[in-house]
Amino acid sequence: MRGGGVYRRIIALLLSLIPLGWLIVTAVTVGPRLGQRMASHWSGSATPDGFADPWLSFWMFAAIVAGLTVGAVALVVSSRTSAPARLWAGIVVALAGLSALAWTAPAEATAAVSTPEEAVLGVRLLLLIPVAALGALVAIVLPSADPAPLDEDDHAQARPTPPLRSGDRLVWSGTTGSVWFGAPAIALVAGGVCCLVVSIATATPGLIAPAVILLLVGCTLLLLARVRLSVDARGIRLVSTVFLVPLIRVRLDDVERVSAEQISPLRWGGWGYRISTRGIAYVTRRSEGLVITRRRGVDIAITIDGAEQASAAAELLVDQRRESARRTA
């Protein structure tokens, strides 16, 4: 691992410990001012309608935060931090921060007043924003398993193409993606979870719709954050590595021509997964990529390193398929 990668992993590790440290520091500083009860539930008004034993609830949330922290640390210190692992590390850290906030905010609100019945969360709910941002920051800082760091988005992991032989199943495979999909996705998913928790805790149905929207948008971005392009006897396929959902699939019989070209996002409708008059594209930067001209349907473009290898492999497979069809005709 490169020196810069080590430092970034250390920073990500320290960031992952913040929720647990925050919970412990709050318990030490605020705990002596808590009595036998603390406000624990609000029903959309400034007046709490639920109360709990402060230390019983503390140990419950401490166990949750500690468990999530252990999971996040395991993902951070892993010798091979894959793209999905970085995304999940950010999500787990955000959930740990949310769990810590679920105890620290009511505890601080209760300690700030004379009786638990007077506790008001107020601006403490705004802490949901930095909690979500903390998870996104971990995913950004954490280095990838690739030689290139995570902040240089879209580094493909292309395998050298071996000499092709009849019957070969896997000819070429590479991965690509962008941190500009992954980091906002973590923040949105964490924000959606936060809205759901607050909605349940405060009995506020109005937060359910925003929570669902945030989760849907976040999961959509996670779907595009990292993808794998495969070229083999089954065709050309682009699959999300996070959810294993196929995004693009082209049968060899449907391929007219495959070429490696310089792809400009604006010529294909912009960045991301695009459907335009030009065709269908997965574009994360201005760079080399694979362009597939189909016999039926629109053309397809995918930005990925090693496009020339992928193109050569696809062309040879298409030629083999056509030759086999001529022999059986």
Side-chain angles (χ1 to χ4, degrees):
M1 184 187 299
R2 297 180 179 181
V6 173
Y7 293 132
R8 291 175 62 168
R9 198 178 292 273
I10 292 174
I11 293 173
L13 177 62
L14 294 176
L15 291 173
S16 301
L17 298 175
I18 287 178
L20 183 59
W22 175 29
L23 182 64
I24 294 174
V25 170
T26 302
V28 172
T29 57
V30 175
R33 290 181 283 151
L34 295 174
Q36 299 299 316
R37 295 191 313 157
M38 62 175 268
S40 61
H41 187 274
W42 285 258
S43 294
S45 64
T47 303
D49 60 1
F51 304 90
D53 183 299
W55 295 110
L56 180 63
S57 61
F58 166 78
W59 288 113
M60 180 184 69
F61 282 107
I64 295 172
V65 174
L68 291 171
T69 300
V70 170
V73 168
L75 291 169
V76 167
V77 302
S78 173
S79 59
R80 289 196 56 80
T81 310
S82 63
R86 297 196 302 276
L87 295 175
W88 283 115
I91 292 174
V92 170
V93 170
L95 292 177
L98 173 62
S99 300
L101 178 63
W103 188 85
T104 57
E108 291 175 353
T110 301
V113 294
S114 57
T115 63
E117 289 76 11
E118 301 176 76
V120 178
L121 287 177
V123 296
R124 294 179 181 86
L125 287 176
L126 295 179
L127 290 173
L128 292 171
I129 298 174
V131 164
L134 178 64
L137 186 60
V138 169
I140 294 173
V141 170
L142 191 61
S144 69
D146 307 329
L150 181 62
D151 60 354
E152 299 177 13
D153 44 297
D154 307 354
H155 287 277
Q157 305 172 11
R159 302 175 185 171
T161 305
L164 299 179
R165 302 180 302 273
S166 177
D168 281 351
R169 295 186 62 187
L170 177 63
V171 176
W172 190 93
S173 176
T175 57
T176 186
S178 175
V179 69
W180 299 110
F181 294 150
I186 292 173
L188 289 170
V189 170
V193 173
C194 290
C195 286
L196 282 178
V197 172
V198 172
S199 175
I200 294 172
T202 62
T204 309
L207 289 176
I208 294 179
V212 172
I213 293 173
L214 289 173
L215 289 172
L216 287 176
V217 176
C219 288
T220 300
L221 287 178
L222 279 177
L223 185 73
L224 301 175
R226 202 71 177 173
V227 298
R228 175 171 292 279
L229 176 66
S230 299
V231 180
D232 57 30
R234 294 172 295 178
I236 303 172
R237 292 169 294 124
L238 189 72
V239 178
S240 169
T241 61
V242 179
F243 295 123
L244 301 180
V245 175
L247 302 174
I248 295 173
R249 183 172 183 177
V250 182
R251 296 183 295 107
L252 294 179
D253 294 337
D254 194 25
V255 175
E256 178 67 31
R257 183 173 62 89
V258 182
S259 60
E261 301 179 12
Q262 189 73 11
I263 294 177
S264 172
L266 294 181
R267 293 187 62 189
W268 288 89
W271 286 260
Y273 186 87
R274 315 299 297 181
I275 300 177
S276 65
T277 55
R278 180 78 185 272
I280 300 174
Y282 175 85
V283 180
T284 56
R285 68 186 190 273
R286 180 185 177 86
S287 71
E288 68 171 338
L290 195 68
V291 177
I292 306 165
T293 303
R294 300 168 62 186
R295 293 184 174 183
R296 299 172 295 277
V298 297
D299 295 345
I300 294 172
I302 301 167
T303 53
I304 190 167
D305 292 342
E308 290 186 1
Q309 289 181 322
S311 173
E315 287 284 2
L316 184 50
L317 279 172
V318 170
D319 290 343
Q320 290 178 344
R321 178 63 62 89
R322 290 172 181 171
E323 181 64 25
S324 176
R326 282 194 295 265
R327 289 177 180 175
T328 57

